[in-house]
């Protein structure tokens, strides 16, 4: 069975600081990787995804993530965060059987 | 397109009572998921349907939880009897595909408090 580990439970940054959120997964087969985001008062929504090809993927609002197969990692990055990036971020793994497993999330607070 | 609809948004019940949650997925999405999200944790899959068939219910506590998706469209999740540890947000999601690269679209969730 697959599992997902997010290293940081709560991250606090000032505006314009750089962001990196860690995500590691455990699964021996082919995986599809996702970051979902939940802004205050809103639904969980897709931020970006990796299915195949270029391991550096770009998502909405300037976010990107890099898949490093040898490290079983899919870390999320943003060079300069904004106050509006305050949200909870979830890393998820989906197998070819279609089962999606989520990490426990990282709460990001950006101070203006 | 209309999103995933869920109701009720909030429900407070006492332990041993029963509760039901309803979900209407995005039109045309064959796959429907119910997740349980306990405070401070990530969503945990309870059950996955493709059309009106169950794909995965391995983590559904079948002694008290049940779910159905009649006619392959909307779905109902029931808890009977509820326990204190069932307090959580119940998320419904749908996706166009079943296998592999399936992007989930989530509803707003139904927050259950069991007293």
């Amino acid at each position: 069975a697959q599992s997902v580990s997010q290293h940081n439970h709560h991250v606090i940054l000032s505006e314009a600081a750089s962001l990196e959120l860690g995500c590691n997964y455990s699964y021996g087969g082919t995986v599809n990787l996702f970051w979902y985001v939940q802004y205050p008062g809103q639904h969980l929504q897709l931020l970006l995804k990796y299915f195949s090809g270029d391991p550096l993927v770009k998502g909405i609002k300037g976010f990107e993530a890099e898949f490093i197969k040898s490290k079983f990692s899919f870390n999320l990055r943003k060079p300069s965060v904004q106050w509006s990036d305050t949200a909870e971020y979830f890393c998820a793994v989906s197998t070819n059987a279609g089962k999606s497993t989520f990490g426990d999330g990282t709460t990001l607070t950006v101070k203006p | 397109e209309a999103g995933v609809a869920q109701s009720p948004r909030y429900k407070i019940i006492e332990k041993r009572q029963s509760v039901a949650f309803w979900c209407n997925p995005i039109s045309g999405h064959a796959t429907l998921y119910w997740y349980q999200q306990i405070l401070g944790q990530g969503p945990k899959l309870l059950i996955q349907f493709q059309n009106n068939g169950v794909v995965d219910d391995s983590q559904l506590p079948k002694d008290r939880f049940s779910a159905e998706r009649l006619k392959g469209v909307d779905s109902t999740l029931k808890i009977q009897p509820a326990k204190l540890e069932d307090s959580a947000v119940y998320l419904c999601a749908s996706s166009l595909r079943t296998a592999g690269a399936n992007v989930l679209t989530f509803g707003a969730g139904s927050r259950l408090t069991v007293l």
Side-chain angles (χ1 to χ4, degrees):
Chain A
Q2 69 264 37
S3 64
V4 178
S5 175
Q6 293 184 239
H7 314 302
N8 314 99
H9 293 294
H10 195 177
V11 172
I12 302 173
L13 296 173
S14 297
E15 275 194 314
S18 64
L19 169 72
E20 180 159 6
L21 301 182
C23 172
N24 285 90
Y25 67 92
S26 172
Y27 185 71
T30 302
V31 293
N32 305 287
L33 298 159
F34 307 81
W35 278 95
Y36 287 85
V37 60
Q38 187 166 25
Y39 297 103
Q42 297 187 25
H43 306 183
L44 263 172
Q45 59 186 279
L46 181 71
L47 189 61
L48 51 75
K49 61 187 184 292
Y50 172 78
F51 295 155
S52 63
D54 189 345
L56 183 63
V57 292
K58 296 188 185 299
I60 60 172
K61 303 187 179 185
F63 285 90
E64 65 179 30
E66 184 175 15
F67 170 48
I68 303 179
K69 189 174 181 179
S70 60
K71 295 184 177 180
F72 297 89
S73 70
F74 190 56
N75 293 352
L76 180 70
R77 299 194 293 249
K78 186 171 184 180
S80 176
V81 295
Q82 300 174 315
W83 175 79
S84 58
D85 294 326
T86 293
E88 191 159 18
Y89 294 81
F90 293 91
C91 182
V93 167
S94 162
T95 68
N96 281 342
K99 180 175 180 178
S100 294
T101 300
F102 287 76
D104 282 337
T106 297
T107 301
L108 171 66
T109 301
V110 180
K111 298 184 295 184
Chain B
E1 66 182 358
V4 176
Q6 288 189 248
S7 66
R9 288 294 310 278
Y10 305 93
K11 189 74 176 178
I12 301 173
I13 61 173
E14 295 189 350
K15 59 184 179 184
R16 291 188 289 274
Q17 287 186 323
S18 63
V19 63
F21 302 111
W22 172 83
C23 172
N24 187 253
I26 290 175
S27 177
H29 279 196
T31 309
L32 185 148
Y33 310 78
W34 283 103
Y35 282 86
Q36 179 193 58
Q37 187 176 16
I38 293 171
L39 188 64
Q41 299 180 19
K44 184 185 87 172
L45 180 68
L46 292 175
I47 189 167
Q48 177 181 345
F49 292 96
Q50 181 183 2
N51 297 312
N52 60 347
V54 175
V55 174
D56 185 343
D57 64 355
S58 58
Q59 297 192 78
L60 186 73
K62 298 179 185 66
D63 58 333
R64 298 183 300 105
F65 286 65
S66 64
E68 60 183 11
R69 190 183 184 197
L70 299 176
K71 301 181 182 178
V73 183
D74 53 351
S75 176
T76 303
L77 176 71
K78 296 180 181 177
I79 308 174
Q80 181 179 7
K83 292 185 175 182
L84 296 177
E85 59 261 36
D86 298 332
S87 293
V89 176
Y90 291 86
L91 296 167
C92 180
S94 68
S95 69
L96 195 57
R97 301 175 57 166
T98 295
N102 50 333
V103 175
L104 273 58
T105 302
F106 285 88
S110 295
R111 182 179 298 276
L112 174 66
T113 302
V114 182
L115 303 175

